[in-house]
Amino acid sequence: MTPPVINLTRGMPPVDVFPVNDLARCAETALRHDPATLLQYGRSPGYKPLREWLAEQHRVNPDQVLIGNSSLEIFAFITQIHLGPGIRACVESPSYDRGITLMRRSGAQVVGIPLQEDGLDLDALEAEIKQGPPALLYVVADFQNPMGTTTSAEKRRRLAGLAQEHGFWIVEDAPYRALRYKGQEAPTLHSLAPDRVLLLSSFSKILAPGVRLGYVIGPAETIAELARWAVDTYIGPVFPTQGMVYEYCRAGLLAPNIERLKQVYAPRLEATLEALPKHLPGATWTRPEGGFYVGVTLPQGGDMARLLARADGAGLKLTDGRGFYPVPEEGNRFLRVPFCSVTPEEIEEAMVRLARIV
């Protein structure tokens, strides 16, 4: 009998964590309360009540908030405005594969900066800056995708100082920040250098990906520029889901939902960290304190192409680790393990199967 396939590809929340009934009630409330706004064209940076709520949470003014159809779409706008053919941009290496794709799509020269256990190798970044500051640096500082690492407070202060000294933008992508299961949080890069950091986040990981609702916090003039680009692209973002999410947040439901998610995900992270040394003692891995991912470096001699070829036969779906590196060959032994959508029992079985094919 063929064993059921275990999917270790994407960081997708399991469907049973979605607060369906609450969202249905909030959607009805929103549409009945404000149909003229939510169902009409919205030539604006987003639904005003939700922008005001987000501004209050981040302690900024509403004109410093833009809402879009996912943080990835907003990042696409940022790359289209600030990058172009031959312009240099830096990323962590490894980094979020779609972030790398969007920067390359703009024609930018994408430079990978090695990622250490506590964040970017800042000596390597400073060496790159000496050749000319990049236009922007893309960073996932909290529970990084794909490694799971968190940038230390000391490195955040140095990064903020470098951005201010050399005049480049930091795009701080923070969709996992609220999902901390242990340890102490560090200040956001945005709080350290609000004039040089664009803070991206979304409701995909803390509510539901299907709402496609992301936002960016930044200087008012930069947000206005992004808003003009967005309006010229699609007139306005999708408003009904923004109204639904606003009602959900206004009702005080988001914070309890995040706590519930932590209770689901924390045991899955622990199960992953317990299974790895049992079944893959020759590998190395990160030890995240939150988020969705553990980054694994396979033993010497590991080869991604051979691993992927054998995975189907073992009932595993894996992501090609080479896609997370600006220089793909550097990811030949890298494997991202997303633990969010698999149970502790499935994680144990997945590591048994992975050990067989490694």
Side-chain angles (χ1 to χ4, degrees), residues 32-226:
R32 293 193 182 282
H33 174 71
D34 197 6
T37 302
L38 297 179
L39 297 178
Q40 186 55 275
Y41 284 116
R43 293 180 61 87
S44 79
Y47 188 49
K48 184 179 178 182
L50 183 57
R51 289 176 64 218
E52 291 173 343
W53 186 88
L54 288 167
E56 183 178 351
Q57 302 304 305
H58 289 274
R59 299 179 182 179
V60 297
N61 295 321
D63 64 357
Q64 294 178 258
V65 182
L66 177 138
I67 301 172
N69 304 322
S70 80
S71 58
L72 191 64
E73 179 183 68
I74 297 172
F75 185 55
F77 295 161
I78 292 170
T79 62
Q80 290 159 9
I81 292 171
H82 293 283
L83 298 180
I87 295 177
R88 293 170 71 247
C90 291
V91 297
E92 297 158 314
S93 183
S95 183
Y96 178 37
D97 52 352
R98 286 182 172 84
I100 295 173
T101 296
L102 288 175
M103 286 187 278
R104 283 189 171 140
R105 190 174 289 171
S106 74
Q109 177 190 352
V110 182
V111 179
I113 306 298
L115 187 62
Q116 300 171 323
E117 289 185 6
D118 62 345
L120 280 172
D121 181 340
L122 294 186
D123 291 338
L125 177 61
E126 291 194 57
E128 283 294 333
I129 290 173
K130 287 179 181 177
Q131 300 180 39
L136 67 80
L137 166 67
Y138 174 77
V139 176
V140 185
D142 293 285
F143 318 125
Q144 199 250 12
N145 180 6
M147 285 291 278
T149 55
T150 293
T151 303
S152 67
E154 179 185 356
K155 283 194 171 181
R156 291 176 194 233
R157 286 190 285 271
R158 284 184 62 191
L159 273 173
L162 287 170
Q164 290 173 321
E165 179 183 354
H166 297 283
F168 60 85
W169 285 105
I170 296 176
V171 176
E172 178 181 14
D173 199 357
Y176 311 99
R177 181 174 171 84
L179 296 174
R180 172 173 284 280
Y181 316 134
K182 57 185 178 181
Q184 298 294 316
E185 71 176 20
T188 63
L189 287 161
H190 178 264
S191 69
L192 298 171
D195 56 331
R196 298 309 313 168
V197 177
L198 297 173
L199 174 64
L200 283 175
S201 194
S202 80
F203 288 86
S204 293
K205 307 303 188 291
I206 57 174
L207 191 53
V211 300
R212 307 314 296 141
L213 202 166
Y215 62 92
V216 60
I217 310 291
E221 61 274 16
T222 305
I223 294 300
E225 183 180 27
L226 280 167

Side-chain angles (χ1 to χ4, degrees), residues 18-31:
F18 299 149
V20 177
N21 293 332
D22 285 338
L23 287 175
R25 286 192 292 269
C26 291
E28 182 176 5
T29 298
L31 287 172

Side-chain angles (χ1 to χ4, degrees), residues 210-293:
V211 300
R212 307 314 296 141
L213 202 166
Y215 62 92
V216 60
I217 310 291
E221 61 274 16
T222 305
I223 294 300
E225 183 180 27
L226 280 167
R228 288 191 294 272
W229 189 280
V231 167
D232 286 344
T233 301
Y234 52 31
I235 301 178
V238 176
F239 266 43
T241 52
Q242 292 186 37
M244 174 182 69
V245 171
Y246 168 68
E247 289 295 335
Y248 188 88
C249 295
R250 185 183 66 83
L253 298 172
L254 185 61
N257 189 63
I258 291 171
E259 291 306 312
R260 183 173 61 89
L261 293 176
K262 291 180 181 181
Q263 297 304 312
V264 173
Y265 297 142
R268 300 181 181 201
L269 171 57
E270 289 306 310
T272 306
L273 296 177
E274 290 173 6
L276 282 165
K278 282 197 295 183
H279 303 295
L280 287 170
T284 59
W285 51 86
T286 56
R287 300 191 65 84
E289 295 182 330
F292 274 15
Y293 309 104

